[in-house]
Amino acid sequence: MSLAETQSQPDSRQRRRAWVLRGLLVLFLAAAVAAIWVSNAYLTQRFTETTRNRAEIRLAIYSGTVQSELQRHSVVPLLLSRDPVLIRSLEQMSFTDTSQRLISYVDEIGAASLVLLDREGRIVAATDRSRLGQLRNSDPFFVQAARSPDTVFTSNEPDTGRYDFTFSRAMRGQDNRLLGVILVEVDLARIVDRWRGASEAVFLVNSQGEIILSTEPRWRGRTEAEALALQPPQSAIQRALEATGEFAFGDRRPDFFGSDTIRLESRIPFRGWRIVSYTAYTSVRERVNAVLALEIMGFALLLAGGFYVVSRRARSQSVRLLRESAELRRLNARLQREIAERQRVERTLEEAEQSLAQSQKLAALGEMSAAVSHELNQPLAAMKTYLAGARLLLQRKRVEEAASSFQRIDDLIDRMGAITRQLKSYARKGGDAFEPVDLRDALKGAMTMMEPQLRTTRVEITQSLPRRPVMVMADRLRLEQVIINLLRNALDAMKDVPKRELDLLIAEGEEAVLTVRDSGKGIDDLDALFEPFYTTKKAGEGVGLGLAISSGIVTDLGGRLTARNGEGGGAVFEVRLPLIGGEGAQAAQ
């Protein structure tokens, strides 16, 4: 390699590193812009929703305040109409101290004013003495109160443009003769004064749709549509909107009823009144900008830290290059030592593999002999029982029944031969004797094999089988072998249980399921249950191959064998096999 080529390689690496750094910088800036954009949209929506919720709470408070004020003043005319002092002054037409009495009431009641009129509609007593002597017999509050036995509410708009709200009630003598009218004026305007200063416009609308109270005085007496058409005056609301500005990269609306406000409405259960508010999203932009400023500051600090790291790497690169030669020499020496160590380990590994292969052969022979012993134990036990029965039958000269027992013994011998042939293929998958098998018949065959043990064991057997055949593709002999193992394990699990119950269930759905449930003590270690040579039995009672062999057989048939503990105790084993025609059955073939 020439000197020029040697010098060009570091230059090319530096150029690639520079392009990588530029690409990372572009990705970082794009991620920062995306994060700021998403944060702006999310925070704006969240803070806006908070502002809306607060506006709804305030509107409910405003509505409750108006309703409470009206209800509180509605009972005052009824109480004053029964005042004996006021009634006596009307009867005697003596009103020297009446105005002073009304003045003493007005502070306790909290009304705007109290007025007493005689039967002719002339003001004879009032908290505002300048109104004494005025004739108001044509006003609605006097006319309606004189004609009604109840309290009357009226509202009118005088020339001043301010609505008056009054409760009036007729005062009558003992002969139901009209003596006069008591008038209570309600000052709802002071409630509106409390609403001013907030970043919202609030107004009260009567049943005719006219605005009777409003935080904006120019809106009174107009409909909502007419009020919206007016340019609102310079107020705290407009100043708040101007300070709020645009929310999310959109055009700012200069008018109050634009996209920067929200309309809320609530009904007041009084004469069809409604209270409406237009709320400005004040301080939303400021709160969002505060969070965005922190994010931008964080990204700036990260960028500054990245530049600092890059500069540090550039300064340390020269020092690192000086160390490389010495480091390479040390690495070369260490590599030679590792090569020698690796060769030694490989030789040791070859010896270990040879020893392991020999151990596996011995383990396979032991496993096979144990499997043969386990699988032949059940038929041998059954043959012993049938021989004992045949001996008794021959002694009693019941030859035909004894011949039946011998036939069963012959069948068991054939079965033992089939088992030995199957055990030759224990370590391989699949089988060649697959045929359509009714799962119900396989269960009956296994029950026949287990008949001697079931007869000598006091166990209550419950079978739930479907009426129609449940066809699966399997080797019937191997399938019966699995069922016999499950039945035998169930009987062994219930030896020390006073109440022995065995439930056998066959269900058909997407696959055929055989369930064997016992009333034993359950399974302690579900994870190791299907491992070879795992058993909970005493020495000499089992070698722990039954479930391992059964699981391998079911897997060869294209299904699976599972186990769990039942809810009421005991173990539950399920054999799941694909039905004929399903995907699992085709795979098993």
Side-chain angles (χ1 to χ4, degrees):
M1 183 179 294
S2 63
L3 180 61
E5 293 177 351
T6 305
Q7 294 177 350
S8 64
Q9 288 182 355
D11 295 338
S12 62
R13 287 197 297 268
Q14 291 178 359
R15 286 195 297 269
R16 285 197 298 270
R17 187 179 296 109
W19 280 109
V20 170
L21 291 176
R22 293 191 186 99
L24 292 176
L25 179 60
V26 171
L27 290 176
F28 177 82
L29 294 177
V33 171
I36 293 172
W37 184 281
V38 172
S39 300
N40 176 74
Y42 171 74
L43 294 174
T44 300
Q45 180 181 3
R46 181 178 177 183
F47 292 153
T48 299
E49 187 66 24
T50 301
T51 303
R52 179 188 180 90
N53 294 337
R54 292 177 179 175
E56 290 177 349
I57 294 174
R58 285 196 299 269
L59 186 64
I61 295 174
Y62 297 160
S63 174
T65 303
V66 173
Q67 183 178 353
S68 174
E69 192 74 11
L70 293 172
Q71 290 178 351
R72 185 168 61 87
H73 287 83
S74 63
V75 299
V76 175
L78 176 61
L79 299 176
L80 294 180
S81 65
R82 298 176 180 178
D83 191 335
V85 176
L86 299 180
I87 294 174
R88 185 167 55 252
S89 64
L90 289 172
E91 290 177 345
Q92 299 176 1
M93 297 302 289
S94 175
F95 309 104
T96 305
D97 300 328
T98 308
S99 296
Q100 185 61 36
R101 186 173 184 83
L102 294 180
I103 293 173
S104 65
Y105 286 158
V106 72
D107 294 333
E108 298 178 1
I109 297 172
S113 64
L114 299 177
V115 178
L116 181 65
L117 299 91
D118 59 12
R119 67 173 61 92
E120 296 178 357
R122 189 178 304 278
I123 297 178
V124 294
T127 54
D128 185 5
R129 298 179 184 273
S130 63
R131 302 172 63 181
L132 294 175
Q134 296 180 4
L135 187 62
R136 307 294 294 273
N137 57 0
S138 60
D139 289 354
F141 68 82
F142 182 82
V143 175
Q144 295 178 18
R147 296 176 181 177
S148 174
D150 301 323
T151 302
V152 176
F153 176 80
T154 57
S155 63
N156 64 320
E157 182 182 11
D159 297 336
T160 59
R162 173 178 175 178
Y163 276 83
D164 293 332
F165 306 98
T166 59
F167 287 98
S168 58
R169 188 181 182 92
M171 301 181 64
R172 302 182 183 275
Q174 297 180 355
D175 54 355
N176 202 26
R177 180 171 54 88
L178 179 64
L179 299 177
V181 172
I182 184 68
L183 177 67
V184 178
E185 294 183 351
V186 183
D187 187 11
L188 294 180
R190 65 177 183 177
I191 300 178
V192 178
D193 293 338
R194 302 173 189 170
W195 302 344
R196 302 182 190 276
S199 58
E200 57 189 354
V202 186
F203 55 86
L204 199 64
V205 183
N206 60 15
S207 58
Q208 288 77 30
E210 297 179 350
I211 298 176
I212 55 179
L213 287 174
S214 174
T215 54
E216 298 292 339
R218 294 181 60 188
W219 294 353
R220 288 198 297 264
R222 304 177 186 273
T223 63
E224 184 176 351
E226 294 172 350
L228 300 186
L230 293 176
Q231 180 70 22
Q234 185 72 15
S235 61
I237 300 174
Q238 186 166 347
R239 290 194 299 271
L241 283 177
E242 291 177 353
T244 302
E246 55 182 333
F247 275 178
F249 308 105
D251 295 335
R252 189 182 69 176
R253 297 289 186 89
D255 56 321
F256 178 76
F257 303 101
S259 60
D260 295 342
T261 58
I262 181 172
R263 181 185 185 278
L264 298 175
E265 178 180 329
S266 176
R267 295 190 176 275
I268 299 176
F270 182 82
R271 292 181 171 269
W273 286 12
R274 294 176 294 113
I275 185 169
V276 181
S277 71
Y278 281 87
T279 305
Y281 295 135
T282 57
S283 73
V284 171
R285 186 69 263 159
E286 288 80 359
R287 296 168 65 185
V288 173
N289 287 340
V291 178
L292 295 182
L294 292 177
E295 289 188 1
I296 294 173
M297 184 181 298
F299 285 121
L301 292 176
L302 289 177
L303 188 61
F307 284 130
Y308 174 75
V309 171
V310 171
S311 63
R312 290 278 298 178
R313 289 184 59 185
R315 287 194 299 269
S316 62
Q317 185 176 6
S318 59
V319 178
R320 186 168 61 252
L321 290 175
L322 295 176
R323 298 176 186 172
E324 284 183 354
S325 58
E327 185 69 22
L328 286 174
R329 287 193 296 270
R330 287 194 298 270
L331 287 176
N332 188 21
R334 189 172 64 182
L335 183 59
Q336 291 177 356
R337 291 193 300 270
E338 289 180 355
I339 291 174
E341 182 68 20
R342 183 179 182 87
Q343 292 174 350
R344 187 183 64 79
V345 170
E346 287 178 352
R347 290 192 298 269
T348 305
L349 182 60
E350 290 178 359
E351 297 175 357
E353 286 178 350
Q354 294 176 358
S355 300
L356 180 60
Q358 186 66 24
S359 300
Q360 288 177 346
K361 292 178 182 179
L362 295 176
L365 290 175
E367 184 177 342
M368 183 62 69
S369 62
V372 171
S373 174
H374 179 272
E375 295 301 325
L376 295 182
N377 184 51
Q378 185 66 28
L380 288 173
M383 290 172 60
K384 184 177 181 180
T385 303
Y386 285 133
L387 285 173
R391 184 183 299 109
L392 292 176
L393 292 173
L394 290 175
Q395 290 175 0
R396 298 175 183 177
K397 298 182 179 182
R398 296 163 62 179
V399 179
E400 294 182 356
E401 296 181 8
S404 176
S405 297
F406 289 135
Q407 180 61 41
R408 292 185 179 180
I409 292 173
D410 186 61
D411 294 339
L412 289 174
I413 292 173
D414 293 339
R415 182 179 183 85
M416 291 171 63
I419 289 174
T420 57
R421 288 192 300 271
Q422 290 174 3
L423 290 176
K424 293 178 182 179
S425 59
Y426 171 65
R428 63 180 178 87
K429 299 292 182 179
D432 300 329
F434 284 4
E435 60 181 357
V437 178
D438 187 353
L439 190 57
R440 303 179 304 169
D441 295 339
L443 177 61
K444 293 178 183 177
M447 293 289 291
T448 302
M449 286 288 300
M450 292 293 296
E451 182 179 356
Q453 288 191 13
L454 295 174
R455 188 179 301 169
T456 57
T457 305
R458 294 181 180 179
V459 57
E460 181 180 348
I461 302 176
T462 303
Q463 297 188 45
S464 178
L465 308 180
R467 295 182 179 179
R468 61 179 184 178
V470 182
M471 303 303 295
V472 297
M473 186 64 68
D475 183 347
R476 176 169 177 173
L477 193 61
R478 302 177 72 191
L479 183 57
E480 289 180 0
Q481 179 184 348
V482 173
I483 300 175
I484 290 173
N485 281 332
L486 296 181
L487 294 176
R488 183 180 178 184
N489 287 340
L491 295 179
D492 293 341
M494 295 187 293
K495 283 184 178 180
D496 301 330
V497 177
K499 185 176 181 181
R500 303 181 181 92
E501 295 179 352
L502 181 61
D503 297 333
L504 304 176
L505 171 65
I506 294 180
E508 181 181 9
E510 296 182 356
E511 56 186 356
V513 182
L514 169 63
T515 303
V516 180
R517 182 185 295 108
D518 61 60
S519 60
K521 298 180 180 179
I523 305 170
D524 296 332
D525 191 355
L526 289 172
D527 296 332
L529 185 63
F530 296 105
E531 295 181 0
F533 303 105
Y534 172 79
T535 180
T536 58
K537 300 177 183 178
K538 298 179 181 179
E541 296 183 359
V543 295
L545 287 173
L547 290 177
I549 295 174
S550 300
S551 178
I553 293 174
V554 175
T555 303
D556 290 344
L557 299 180
R560 62 186 186 276
L561 175 61
T562 60
R564 69 177 188 277
N565 289 317
E567 296 180 358
V572 180
F573 287 86
E574 291 184 349
V575 179
R576 297 180 176 270
L577 295 173
L579 294 169
I580 290 181
E583 296 179 0
Q586 296 175 3
Q589 294 178 3

